[in-house]
Amino acid sequence: MEEHRSNKKTRFGTVVSNKMDRTVVVSIERVVPHPIYRKFIRRRSKFKAHDADNTCQVGDRVIIEESRPLSKTKRWVVVKIVQSTAS
């Protein structure tokens, strides 16, 4: 049996807020070169992601995947917690 491959985008980031019910804010950081000076600059994007079980804590490293719109600003779902801060 073949494994189904999804065409959905996935991102790896850090949870920066979990104050909402079943929603976390995930910060994605990427490094891009400056267009003129070619020095590498860090850029951040923040996405709201659905956390169905309220298991994510601030500082957790997670993988999120795009989904259908779940609310006005929420279009991502937490797939897996890669590294948890709660020990």
Side-chain angles (χ1 to χ4, degrees), residues 8-61:
K8 296 178 181 178
K9 295 176 189 170
T10 60
R11 299 284 184 260
F12 180 75
T14 306
V15 176
V16 292
S17 173
N18 64 347
K19 294 179 180 179
M20 295 170 273
D21 186 30
R22 283 181 264 147
T23 303
V24 292
V25 179
V26 180
S27 177
I28 310 293
E29 191 172 276
R30 64 189 202 283
V31 180
V32 295
H34 187 278
I36 296 172
Y37 302 114
R38 300 298 177 207
K39 178 179 178 175
F40 287 99
I41 307 168
R42 287 193 173 135
R43 296 284 185 206
R44 286 186 192 92
S45 302
K46 293 201 297 188
F47 299 102
K48 290 185 180 73
H50 184 67
D51 178 22
D53 302 326
N54 280 331
T55 53
C56 292
Q57 300 296 320
V58 174
D60 287 356
R61 306 285 283 165

Side-chain angles (χ1 to χ4, degrees), residues 72-87:
K72 180 181 174 183
T73 58
K74 190 163 56 166
R75 275 103 172 96
W76 296 82
V77 176
V78 174
V79 176
K80 182 167 121 177
I81 298 175
V82 178
Q83 182 181 12
S84 180
T85 56
S87 297

